[in-house]
Amino acid sequence: MNNEATIQDLMDSLPAFFSPEKSSGIRATVQFELSGADGGDWTVQIADQTCQVVKGNAGTYDLLFQASARDVLDIFYDRLEPMSAYMQGKLRLSGNFGLALKLFGLFEVDSEKMRRLRSK
């Protein structure tokens, strides 16, 4: 059995990993379109120093984040640097690039927290 977190585990846990103190003044809708095994669409709403994640496509977004589910997990497990993924074409972004630069800093996620997701 694989002990790694799935994309669903990650998306379910994003609000708990969110750092509200770092999000002051940010109001954004981020659409994740993830391909491959366990892929799918998720909408992340950041507003009033809160984070909500809903499965599905919001229709409108400030930032569209397209990648394979595997590459996103690799980013959160610290096996793939987000900028490298972008430069290699593994991560495609549309919309507010300034928001993209801030996005990963809004979440306190490391490989240890990711490992604990599957042990719950």
Side-chain angles (χ1 to χ4, degrees):
M1 182 176 143
N2 186 349
N3 282 343
E4 284 206 352
T6 65
I7 283 294
Q8 187 66 59
D9 296 330
L10 174 63
M11 292 299 173
D12 289 345
S13 299
L14 271 184
F17 295 153
F18 185 66
S19 297
E21 67 280 359
K22 295 180 181 177
S23 70
S24 183
I26 296 176
R27 292 186 72 79
T29 300
V30 181
Q31 181 67 48
F32 284 82
E33 293 179 357
L34 306 180
S35 61
D38 297 322
D41 295 341
W42 283 268
T43 301
V44 177
Q45 291 278 358
I46 299 170
D48 303 320
Q49 295 182 293
T50 64
C51 173
Q52 282 187 322
V53 179
V54 178
K55 190 159 177 60
N57 191 312
T60 61
Y61 55 81
D62 298 296
L63 178 65
L64 174 63
F65 186 106
Q66 297 171 303
S68 75
R70 173 80 267 149
D71 287 338
V72 170
L73 286 173
D74 284 347
I75 288 169
F76 280 94
Y77 271 107
D78 297 326
R79 294 186 293 234
L80 180 61
E81 183 66 36
M83 187 57 80
S84 295
Y86 178 76
M87 297 302 283
Q88 294 170 26
K90 293 180 176 185
L91 168 60
R92 291 169 307 287
L93 301 170
S94 301
N96 184 336
F97 282 85
L99 175 61
L101 294 172
K102 295 176 188 172
L103 187 63
F104 285 99
L106 298 179
F107 298 90
E108 295 291 329
V109 183
D110 58 35
S111 55
E112 184 55 37
K113 285 182 180 177
M114 290 294 292
R115 277 191 277 286
R116 282 183 278 185
L117 286 180
R118 289 308 273 180
S119 62
K120 288 183 180 179

